[in-house]
């Protein structure tokens, strides 16, 4: 059903009904396609939002996308990147408010895809990386998630966060070094 809704939404937007153009979206059109929704879910989950709250987070991203269109603001150049950054910011907000009430198991379960069973080694590595992400400062965790899990380029991350590219690179370097040290310390790699 989701694919059908996403396909209808893309077709409607291709016809000039883009929700970010300021015009009302067609009735029943979804402002996020299926790939964008999966990316938003992944960013939220990696940012610390528990599986039970992921649907609410996705709806918040949709709402902000529609609010942006309704306010008449200029459409972002890359809606997918914009949605990933909004999701990252929502995750940081939740993370600050909840202070890690939900633990690692739920976040990993939200990302696990049953069609691709993972081996014991990759499972151990996933747990170690997620624990390492938990220990990073918010700003470093945000750029790591956006760069490596949402697959955004450094330039796009910098533009979306409103910081210089050098700041993004510095945060990435520091975070990757800390994660690498954590993995070696835990003897995972």
């Amino acid at each position: 059903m989701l694919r059908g809704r996403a396909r209808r939404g893309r077709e409607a937007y291709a016809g000039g009904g883009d929700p970010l153009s300021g015009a009302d979206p067609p009735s029943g059109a979804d402002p996020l396609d299926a790939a964008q929704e999966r990316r938003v879910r992944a960013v939220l989950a990696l940012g610390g939002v528990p599986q039970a709250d992921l649907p609410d987070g996705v709806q918040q991203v949709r709402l902000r996308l529609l609010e942006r269109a309704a306010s008449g603001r200029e459409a972002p150049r890359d809606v997918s990147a914009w949605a990933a950054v909004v999701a990252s910011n929502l995750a940081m907000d939740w993370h600050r408010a909840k202070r890690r009430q939900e633990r690692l198991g739920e976040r990993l379960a939200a990302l696990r895809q049953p069609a691709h069973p993972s081996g014991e080694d990759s499972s151990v590595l996933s747990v170690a990386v997620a624990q390492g992400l938990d220990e990073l400062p918010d700003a470093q965790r945000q750029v790591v998630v956006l760069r490596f899990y949402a697959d955004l380029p450094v330039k796009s991350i910098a533009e979306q966060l409103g910081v210089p590219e050098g700041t993004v690179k510095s945060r990435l370097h520091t975070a990757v070094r800390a994660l690498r040290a954590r993995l070696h310390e835990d003897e995972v790699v």
Side-chain angles (χ1 to χ4, degrees):
M1 181 167 150
L2 180 58
R3 285 186 193 155
R5 285 179 40 212
R7 189 178 310 114
R8 283 193 303 273
R10 284 192 299 271
E11 291 166 0
Y13 297 145
D18 183 352
L20 297 175
S21 66
D24 290 334
S27 177
D30 191 344
L32 294 177
D33 66 26
Q36 291 167 333
E37 182 174 335
R38 281 192 304 274
R39 180 185 244 185
V40 165
R41 281 179 174 276
V43 169
L44 288 168
L46 288 165
V49 177
Q51 184 177 8
D53 291 340
L54 291 179
D56 291 338
V58 172
Q59 286 301 91
Q60 283 292 320
V61 172
R62 281 190 178 101
L63 178 63
R64 291 188 184 183
L65 190 61
L66 292 171
E67 285 174 344
R68 182 180 179 104
S71 71
R73 285 184 281 167
E74 185 176 321
R77 275 190 313 188
D78 184 351
V79 174
S80 184
W82 181 88
V85 170
V86 169
S88 176
N89 288 335
L90 286 172
M92 285 180 57
D93 291 345
W94 182 92
H95 192 67
R96 286 183 191 119
K98 297 292 182 177
R99 287 293 169 212
R100 297 177 174 100
Q101 290 178 357
E102 299 294 329
R103 295 308 305 160
L104 182 62
E106 290 182 351
R107 290 193 303 264
L108 292 176
L111 297 176
R112 199 167 285 144
Q113 296 181 3
H116 299 92
S118 61
E120 186 177 325
D121 289 342
S122 64
S123 216
V124 169
L125 181 60
S126 294
V127 169
V129 169
Q131 287 173 337
L133 283 172
D134 272 349
E135 295 172 2
L136 292 176
D138 290 342
Q140 289 178 9
R141 181 176 43 255
Q142 183 179 32
V143 296
V144 167
V145 169
L146 290 172
R147 177 66 189 105
F148 298 111
Y149 291 97
D151 201 28
L152 295 179
V154 170
K155 183 175 182 175
S156 181
I157 295 169
E159 288 172 359
Q160 296 294 329
L161 295 179
V163 298
E165 284 184 53
T167 300
V168 172
K169 290 177 184 178
S170 172
R171 289 176 184 171
L172 279 172
H173 176 77
T174 304
V176 168
R177 189 173 54 199
L179 285 172
R180 185 177 296 129
R182 166 67 192 247
L183 294 176
H184 284 295
E185 179 182 302
D186 291 346
E187 297 180 356
V188 176
V189 291

